[in-house]
Amino acid sequence: MKILVNGAWRNTGATDLATALHELGYADAVVATALNGQFVPAGSRTNARLAEGDRLEILAPMQGG
Amino acid sequence: MLQVYGTELRSRLLLGTSRYPSPAILTQAVEASRAQVVTVSLRRESSGERAGQGFWSIIRELGVRVLPNTAGCHSVKEAVTTAQMAREVFGTPWIKLEVIGEDDTLQPDVFGLVEAARILAADGFEVFPYTTEDLVVADRLVDAGCRVLMPWGAPIGSGRGLNNLFGLKALRAHFPDVPLVIDAGIGVPSHAAQAMELGFDAVLINTAVAQAADPVRMAAAFAQAVEAGCEARLAGPMEPRDLAEPSTPVIGTAFLR
């Protein structure tokens, strides 16, 4: 299915957020996730089901003022 | 010593980590500033570049506290969600809450700010709200659970110093016991010294250091200015006068006409 990852369409075979992160190459990265605008804590990623057209945001530490 | 949310800080200079010429210069600038708190942010991470992972390891090596921000958020929902994500990634309840209301001045949307502050404080966050010098808004923020306020000196990145001295002095007088940190608009060390002389508890600086020709040297200059301003405040500055008053004693002046 196709989901929107950080604003770009990606194909994924994963049906949950934890598996999708692995598949997309974020397995060991320090990131926070939001699905369709809702924060998904790291501990809840396995239970977060993905659906066609979902919007996934994957954020990491960055310079800030 | 400055106390914010139960944490004691020796340094009254908080430093932003953005817009430095290189990661090495950022590291040296943080060290030269003697800052114990640096601000950080969250942005989209590309799985290929992993820029965020590299940045985060640089910050961790510095051994400073981080104050994550919600920069770029224009709505309460965005700011609250960003704060929740920041708490998990950075492992701190501290959040520098920004809800931007206007793009040319990056003026805070104070209505959204109060609403977001209330939601976050109730959820256990320790909120550092980026606000204006407006007394009523400040009152509402304290009501919402903020134990620190961060009024702007001037628009973010403008380097114009303390735009509204009267308003800032009134804010200081109105909240003698709330730590007040001047956030945004400081351009040169004299602005920072002035803020400290007026009795503000700390200053947060980013662009003025990062965009200086020599950021490391400027970071050290700011450290000295903040310390000087703080000492001056404690020393009790004289009252200004309209007319001259001779500083050399008049008694005993020779008659040489």
Side-chain angles (χ1 to χ4, degrees), chain A residues 18-33:
Chain A
T19 310
L21 279 182
H22 261 270
E23 198 190 280
L24 293 165
Y26 294 95
D28 54 347
V30 178
V31 291
T33 50

PDB file of all heavy atoms in Angstrom, chain A residues 18-33:
ATOM      1  N   ALA A  18       5.702   0.031  13.601  1.00  0.00           N
ATOM      2  CA  ALA A  18       7.036  -0.452  13.992  1.00  0.00           C
ATOM      3  C   ALA A  18       7.711  -1.149  12.806  1.00  0.00           C
ATOM      4  O   ALA A  18       8.888  -0.896  12.500  1.00  0.00           O
ATOM      5  CB  ALA A  18       6.924  -1.404  15.178  1.00  0.00           C
ATOM      6  N   THR A  19       6.965  -1.996  12.109  1.00  0.00           N
ATOM      7  CA  THR A  19       7.514  -2.722  10.957  1.00  0.00           C
ATOM      8  C   THR A  19       7.857  -1.751   9.831  1.00  0.00           C
ATOM      9  O   THR A  19       8.898  -1.877   9.170  1.00  0.00           O
ATOM     10  CB  THR A  19       6.495  -3.778  10.468  1.00  0.00           C
ATOM     11  OG1 THR A  19       6.072  -4.541  11.590  1.00  0.00           O
ATOM     12  CG2 THR A  19       7.109  -4.699   9.431  1.00  0.00           C
ATOM     13  N   ALA A  20       6.993  -0.758   9.632  1.00  0.00           N
ATOM     14  CA  ALA A  20       7.237   0.230   8.576  1.00  0.00           C
ATOM     15  C   ALA A  20       8.538   0.983   8.839  1.00  0.00           C
ATOM     16  O   ALA A  20       9.321   1.226   7.912  1.00  0.00           O
ATOM     17  CB  ALA A  20       6.064   1.201   8.480  1.00  0.00           C
ATOM     18  N   LEU A  21       8.786   1.338  10.090  1.00  0.00           N
ATOM     19  CA  LEU A  21      10.021   2.077  10.419  1.00  0.00           C
ATOM     20  C   LEU A  21      11.255   1.242  10.071  1.00  0.00           C
ATOM     21  O   LEU A  21      12.224   1.747   9.515  1.00  0.00           O
ATOM     22  CB  LEU A  21      10.048   2.439  11.910  1.00  0.00           C
ATOM     23  CG  LEU A  21       9.246   3.666  12.332  1.00  0.00           C
ATOM     24  CD1 LEU A  21       9.421   3.906  13.829  1.00  0.00           C
ATOM     25  CD2 LEU A  21       9.651   4.910  11.560  1.00  0.00           C
ATOM     26  N   HIS A  22      11.197  -0.058  10.376  1.00  0.00           N
ATOM     27  CA  HIS A  22      12.286  -0.977  10.031  1.00  0.00           C
ATOM     28  C   HIS A  22      12.500  -0.977   8.526  1.00  0.00           C
ATOM     29  O   HIS A  22      13.614  -0.783   8.036  1.00  0.00           O
ATOM     30  CB  HIS A  22      11.920  -2.399  10.482  1.00  0.00           C
ATOM     31  CG  HIS A  22      12.555  -2.772  11.781  1.00  0.00           C
ATOM     32  ND1 HIS A  22      13.784  -3.376  11.860  1.00  0.00           N
ATOM     33  CD2 HIS A  22      12.134  -2.601  13.045  1.00  0.00           C
ATOM     34  CE1 HIS A  22      14.087  -3.566  13.128  1.00  0.00           C
ATOM     35  NE2 HIS A  22      13.097  -3.097  13.869  1.00  0.00           N
ATOM     36  N   GLU A  23      11.395  -1.185   7.833  1.00  0.00           N
ATOM     37  CA  GLU A  23      11.429  -1.306   6.377  1.00  0.00           C
ATOM     38  C   GLU A  23      11.955  -0.028   5.718  1.00  0.00           C
ATOM     39  O   GLU A  23      12.666  -0.075   4.719  1.00  0.00           O
ATOM     40  CB  GLU A  23       9.999  -1.601   5.916  1.00  0.00           C
ATOM     41  CG  GLU A  23       9.883  -2.175   4.538  1.00  0.00           C
ATOM     42  CD  GLU A  23       8.420  -2.180   4.111  1.00  0.00           C
ATOM     43  OE1 GLU A  23       7.698  -3.093   4.546  1.00  0.00           O
ATOM     44  OE2 GLU A  23       8.016  -1.268   3.376  1.00  0.00           O
ATOM     45  N   LEU A  24      11.641   1.120   6.301  1.00  0.00           N
ATOM     46  CA  LEU A  24      12.035   2.404   5.706  1.00  0.00           C
ATOM     47  C   LEU A  24      13.459   2.818   6.097  1.00  0.00           C
ATOM     48  O   LEU A  24      13.958   3.852   5.658  1.00  0.00           O
ATOM     49  CB  LEU A  24      11.045   3.506   6.126  1.00  0.00           C
ATOM     50  CG  LEU A  24       9.618   3.370   5.576  1.00  0.00           C
ATOM     51  CD1 LEU A  24       8.658   4.272   6.344  1.00  0.00           C
ATOM     52  CD2 LEU A  24       9.579   3.697   4.087  1.00  0.00           C
ATOM     53  N   GLY A  25      14.108   2.017   6.956  1.00  0.00           N
ATOM     54  CA  GLY A  25      15.516   2.287   7.283  1.00  0.00           C
ATOM     55  C   GLY A  25      15.735   3.115   8.543  1.00  0.00           C
ATOM     56  O   GLY A  25      16.782   3.717   8.726  1.00  0.00           O
ATOM     57  N   TYR A  26      14.733   3.111   9.437  1.00  0.00           N
ATOM     58  CA  TYR A  26      14.876   3.891  10.686  1.00  0.00           C
ATOM     59  C   TYR A  26      15.018   2.983  11.908  1.00  0.00           C
ATOM     60  O   TYR A  26      14.768   3.421  13.037  1.00  0.00           O
ATOM     61  CB  TYR A  26      13.645   4.774  10.899  1.00  0.00           C
ATOM     62  CG  TYR A  26      13.459   5.867   9.866  1.00  0.00           C
ATOM     63  CD1 TYR A  26      12.636   5.658   8.756  1.00  0.00           C
ATOM     64  CD2 TYR A  26      14.089   7.102  10.006  1.00  0.00           C
ATOM     65  CE1 TYR A  26      12.451   6.650   7.811  1.00  0.00           C
ATOM     66  CE2 TYR A  26      13.905   8.096   9.063  1.00  0.00           C
ATOM     67  CZ  TYR A  26      13.088   7.865   7.968  1.00  0.00           C
ATOM     68  OH  TYR A  26      12.902   8.855   7.041  1.00  0.00           O
ATOM     69  N   ALA A  27      15.412   1.731  11.686  1.00  0.00           N
ATOM     70  CA  ALA A  27      15.370   0.745  12.767  1.00  0.00           C
ATOM     71  C   ALA A  27      16.032   1.218  14.056  1.00  0.00           C
ATOM     72  O   ALA A  27      15.456   1.143  15.125  1.00  0.00           O
ATOM     73  CB  ALA A  27      16.024  -0.541  12.293  1.00  0.00           C
ATOM     74  N   ASP A  28      17.262   1.763  13.935  1.00  0.00           N
ATOM     75  CA  ASP A  28      18.007   2.109  15.151  1.00  0.00           C
ATOM     76  C   ASP A  28      18.104   3.628  15.337  1.00  0.00           C
ATOM     77  O   ASP A  28      18.902   4.102  16.129  1.00  0.00           O
ATOM     78  CB  ASP A  28      19.414   1.502  15.067  1.00  0.00           C
ATOM     79  CG  ASP A  28      20.121   1.926  13.778  1.00  0.00           C
ATOM     80  OD1 ASP A  28      19.428   2.462  12.882  1.00  0.00           O
ATOM     81  OD2 ASP A  28      21.352   1.739  13.670  1.00  0.00           O
ATOM     82  N   ALA A  29      17.293   4.375  14.614  1.00  0.00           N
ATOM     83  CA  ALA A  29      17.416   5.840  14.667  1.00  0.00           C
ATOM     84  C   ALA A  29      16.624   6.419  15.830  1.00  0.00           C
ATOM     85  O   ALA A  29      15.600   5.866  16.247  1.00  0.00           O
ATOM     86  CB  ALA A  29      16.918   6.443  13.358  1.00  0.00           C
ATOM     87  N   VAL A  30      17.147   7.535  16.367  1.00  0.00           N
ATOM     88  CA  VAL A  30      16.419   8.273  17.406  1.00  0.00           C
ATOM     89  C   VAL A  30      15.393   9.160  16.696  1.00  0.00           C
ATOM     90  O   VAL A  30      15.736  10.203  16.141  1.00  0.00           O
ATOM     91  CB  VAL A  30      17.375   9.156  18.237  1.00  0.00           C
ATOM     92  CG1 VAL A  30      16.610   9.952  19.274  1.00  0.00           C
ATOM     93  CG2 VAL A  30      18.446   8.304  18.895  1.00  0.00           C
ATOM     94  N   VAL A  31      14.144   8.698  16.672  1.00  0.00           N
ATOM     95  CA  VAL A  31      13.102   9.461  15.986  1.00  0.00           C
ATOM     96  C   VAL A  31      11.814   9.421  16.802  1.00  0.00           C
ATOM     97  O   VAL A  31      11.618   8.534  17.638  1.00  0.00           O
ATOM     98  CB  VAL A  31      12.801   8.900  14.570  1.00  0.00           C
ATOM     99  CG1 VAL A  31      13.956   9.145  13.622  1.00  0.00           C
ATOM    100  CG2 VAL A  31      12.442   7.425  14.619  1.00  0.00           C
ATOM    101  N   ALA A  32      10.962  10.396  16.542  1.00  0.00           N
ATOM    102  CA  ALA A  32       9.603  10.378  17.094  1.00  0.00           C
ATOM    103  C   ALA A  32       8.644  10.309  15.915  1.00  0.00           C
ATOM    104  O   ALA A  32       8.958  10.802  14.827  1.00  0.00           O
ATOM    105  CB  ALA A  32       9.342  11.619  17.931  1.00  0.00           C
ATOM    106  N   THR A  33       7.491   9.702  16.149  1.00  0.00           N
ATOM    107  CA  THR A  33       6.581   9.482  15.029  1.00  0.00           C
ATOM    108  C   THR A  33       5.189  10.056  15.306  1.00  0.00           C
ATOM    109  O   THR A  33       4.724  10.082  16.455  1.00  0.00           O
ATOM    110  CB  THR A  33       6.425   7.968  14.765  1.00  0.00           C
ATOM    111  OG1 THR A  33       6.119   7.303  16.003  1.00  0.00           O
ATOM    112  CG2 THR A  33       7.694   7.381  14.185  1.00  0.00           C
TER     113      THR A  33
END
